[in-house]
Amino acid sequence: MTSPLPPGETLSQPVLNPPASVAVFLVATIEPGGEAAVREALGSLAGLVRSVGFPSPDGGLGCVAGVGSRAWGRLFGGPRPAELHPFRELAGPRHHAPATPGDLFFHIKAARTDLCFALAAELVRRLRGTVAVRDETQAFSYFDSRNLLGFVDGTENPVGQAAADAALVGEEDPGFRGGSYAMVQKYLHDVDAWEALAVEAQEKVIGRTKLTNLELDAPGSHKDVNTVLGPDGSEQRILRSAMPFGRPGHGEFGTYFVAYARTPGIPETMLRKMFLGGPGSGPDPLLDYSRAVTGSLFFVPPADFLEALPDA
């Protein structure tokens, strides 16, 4: 498989940027007649990020924008990303991965809450009356890269060129080279049931030690079920961008999960193993304590696509 981007070439949105301390995730649907305003907002997004972030150069403000399958043809003429399609709902005997509405996805990230807030507020202002915000989630880093279940998250993420190979489209779809597929799910955790488990039982569910994050030999664990091998036996990689969120006063504790991938087939295979199970493994035991409440698939266009949008 041809490497998607030569070293040093920057055609993508900030998918590969290091994890941020704070994030705001927005999912919206486009109202009838709102297409022109959405095109204008997408085309001016890079300049808006620069304007909001300019007074705080150390804030690391960035934004990744994605478009869903049903909205693509409403916004852009010409070819469409080869593998873009609606999120595929999964209903297993015990667990359910719902498909929920989503035409637009914004992943706003920074080192400071105020920068994320300011960018989100301005985006929503510009799109007011033309989109319906379906989900708005403010997320944060938690201790040493842990989720709200107490385990380190994102351990197996590729880095450097391996991350680009995993997350960015290459010559297999040359018109969208440098783009990425974003699979988005929001999970709510039953922390009371989870914390009732002994640490050793939690570790068997996750497949790693809780304190030191060391991998365990735990067949059928969350880590095991989420490992996908290719025809040659090599592990198929994605770039995970999961962050905790919550409202303790409302009993809400969760993980906002985004999988950036060169092809949606890899995270879709992971989800089928998680929710439906397969020969010798699954479903994912973590789903007994973590429930998916949203599910959408988006294509993240290359940066130069947004700077020169094709005619509708």
Side-chain angles (χ1 to χ4, degrees):
M1 184 180 286
T2 305
S3 179
L5 295 173
E9 188 171 344
T10 55
L11 297 176
S12 67
Q13 296 189 57
V15 169
L16 304 180
N17 286 19
S21 300
V22 186
V24 173
F25 299 99
L26 294 171
V27 173
T29 51
I30 304 172
E31 301 284 12
E35 293 82 2
V38 169
R39 282 175 52 87
E40 183 177 350
L42 291 173
S44 62
L45 180 60
L48 177 61
V49 173
R50 287 193 295 270
S51 295
V52 174
F54 181 78
S56 306
D58 296 331
L61 180 64
C63 181
V64 174
V67 178
S69 178
R70 294 186 177 92
W72 190 272
R74 295 172 60 187
L75 296 173
F76 316 121
R80 59 186 281 132
E83 297 187 75
L84 181 59
H85 55 260
F87 182 91
R88 290 167 177 158
E89 183 175 10
L90 297 172
R94 292 167 54 197
H95 307 297
H96 178 216
T100 51
D103 293 332
L104 300 172
F105 171 61
F106 296 101
H107 176 182
I108 302 169
K109 45 191 173 180
R112 288 169 33 188
T113 302
D114 59 340
L115 293 175
C116 287
F117 179 88
L119 181 56
E122 181 59 24
L123 265 176
V124 170
R125 187 192 69 78
R126 294 186 179 196
L127 292 171
R128 185 174 298 129
T130 64
V131 306
V133 176
R134 299 289 184 152
D135 185 68
E136 176 183 354
T137 300
Q138 300 188 33
F140 50 87
S141 60
Y142 187 65
F143 291 116
D144 47 346
S145 300
R146 294 180 184 267
N147 56 36
L148 297 186
L149 301 179
F151 283 76
V152 175
D153 216 344
T155 300
E156 297 297 327
N157 261 350
V159 296
Q161 188 60 43
D165 292 342
L168 302 182
V169 172
E171 294 301 330
E172 69 273 14
D173 194 3
F176 296 98
R177 183 172 178 266
S180 183
Y181 292 90
M183 182 170 288
V184 177
Q185 288 181 295
K186 185 175 182 177
Y187 288 86
L188 295 178
H189 307 315
D190 185 345
V191 293
D192 290 337
W194 179 255
E195 290 174 356
L197 295 178
V199 170
E200 293 80 4
Q202 294 179 356
E203 292 175 336
K204 288 180 180 178
V205 169
I206 299 295
R208 290 186 177 275
T209 58
K210 191 169 188 178
L211 179 62
T212 58
N213 192 40
L214 297 178
E215 186 176 330
L216 297 172
D217 182 14
S221 66
H222 172 69
K223 181 194 178 300
D224 181 52
V225 171
N226 276 267
T227 299
V228 174
L229 302 180
D232 61 354
S234 62
E235 184 174 351
Q236 304 295 289
R237 310 297 290 275
I238 61 173
L239 189 64
R240 293 173 169 85
S241 185
M243 294 190 75
F245 68 91
R247 297 184 299 166
H250 293 76
E252 181 181 88
F253 301 86
T255 296
Y256 203 97
F257 178 74
V258 183
Y260 290 111
R262 184 172 186 161
T263 167
I266 296 174
E268 286 174 339
T269 299
M270 292 178 178
L271 290 190
R272 285 194 296 271
K273 291 179 65 181
M274 286 177 62
F275 285 85
L276 307 181
S281 69
D284 189 337
L286 185 56
L287 295 179
D288 291 334
Y289 308 92
S290 187
R291 176 172 57 94
V293 294
T294 71
S296 304
L297 178 66
F298 303 92
F299 185 73
V300 176
D304 53 356
F305 180 95
L306 294 183
E307 292 173 1
L309 293 175
D311 292 336

